[in-house]
Amino acid sequence: MSDRQIHHLCFMLDRTIDMMPPGQESACLLINFKSSTNSTLPTVGQSRAVLNILQNHSPERLGKALITETPWYVSTFFKLISGFIDPVTKEKMKFNEDLTQYVPIEQLWADRGGNLKFTYDHSLYWPSLNDECNKRRAAYKKRWEDGGKRIGEFEAYLRGGKHMSLQQVLEKSGIDTSASKHSLEVTAQVARLSLDNRPP
């Protein structure tokens, strides 16, 4: 465990968000301790840094954390850091459960109980991942610009879904968004609309 691994986790979390389809806003984190040793466990400080990222900088992005093949020292480690884990995050953590309960079998690696036979080839995978994410971010930005460049835009719209843009929802609802309108009042109305117009 090192700070570079924490940077890599942040990078991969951002790429996971880039790859989310319309209507998907949370990710499932799979952590396998099969090849870990007592000496390769992160420090409490590193664990707190990761928890800070997941809990405070990516709120509600974590759908589930599936932690498998945990030896006794990993279980002890999680007990040690449990005081730093937010109760909502703690509820999302599942230890040594059947992964097919949470991950579609066609997306789960064969050695984890699924049907996916995948061999990682860095020279092919890494450039492909980055190219695809760059395309998706460019499309995401264009939809944001086309939708009126509004802060608080619906992710389901930005990701190419059928959801209306925030500007369309505001216009349909008859909310006055002119500069003379008090911004806090508009924000409150937008927040109510966001709850009322969530995708099914």
Side-chain angles (χ1 to χ4, degrees):
M1 190 66 182
S2 67
D3 288 343
R4 283 184 59 81
Q5 285 174 291
I6 295 173
H7 297 161
H8 179 71
L9 171 67
C10 294
F11 179 85
M12 293 307 294
L13 180 59
D14 288 344
R15 299 300 71 77
T16 300
I17 293 167
D18 288 341
M19 295 296 290
M20 287 179 179
Q24 180 70 41
E25 295 183 13
S26 63
C28 181
L29 181 63
L30 280 73
I31 306 168
N32 184 284
F33 281 96
K34 184 176 183 178
S35 59
S36 72
T37 65
N38 198 11
S39 62
T40 60
L41 283 178
T43 65
V44 172
Q46 289 166 331
S47 300
R48 288 182 73 177
V50 170
L51 287 168
N52 179 49
I53 291 161
L54 292 174
Q55 294 173 170
N56 300 323
H57 297 279
S58 300
E60 297 307 315
R61 284 293 186 195
L62 182 63
K64 288 275 185 283
L66 307 175
I67 303 152
T68 59
E69 301 193 55
T70 53
W72 67 269
Y73 49 84
V74 171
S75 302
T76 303
F77 174 76
F78 275 104
K79 285 177 186 169
L80 182 66
I81 65 165
S82 65
F84 305 116
I85 304 174
D86 178 89
V88 175
T89 303
K90 199 179 288 188
E91 195 173 297
K92 295 174 181 179
M93 297 170 72
K94 305 295 178 188
F95 290 87
N96 299 312
E97 293 195 11
D98 178 6
L99 296 178
T100 59
Q101 294 179 69
Y102 305 100
V103 183
I105 199 163
E106 64 276 4
Q107 294 178 16
L108 187 62
W109 284 4
D111 64 349
R112 301 291 181 257
N115 292 337
L116 181 63
K117 292 185 170 90
F118 177 75
T119 303
Y120 181 77
D121 182 337
H122 189 76
S123 65
L124 296 174
Y125 180 86
W126 198 253
S128 299
L129 172 68
N130 285 299
D131 288 347
E132 182 61 27
C133 289
N134 287 337
K135 285 180 202 166
R136 288 180 183 229
R137 279 197 306 276
Y140 191 96
K141 182 180 178 187
K142 183 171 186 333
R143 287 182 69 81
W144 180 71
E145 290 169 345
D146 293 347
K149 299 183 179 179
R150 290 203 162 270
I151 294 173
E153 184 62 81
F154 298 110
E155 280 198 30
Y157 163 75
L158 292 172
R159 295 191 189 287
K162 295 179 181 176
H163 197 286
M164 290 188 290
S165 71
L166 180 54
Q167 182 65 36
Q168 292 168 322
V169 170
L170 292 170
E171 289 169 358
K172 185 178 175 185
S173 301
I175 294 176
D176 179 10
T177 60
S178 63
S180 61
K181 192 80 170 171
H182 193 280
S183 61
L184 285 178
E185 186 180 336
V186 172
T187 302
Q189 290 176 327
V190 167
R192 283 193 294 276
L193 284 171
S194 296
L195 291 173
D196 295 340
N197 289 282
R198 284 178 293 186

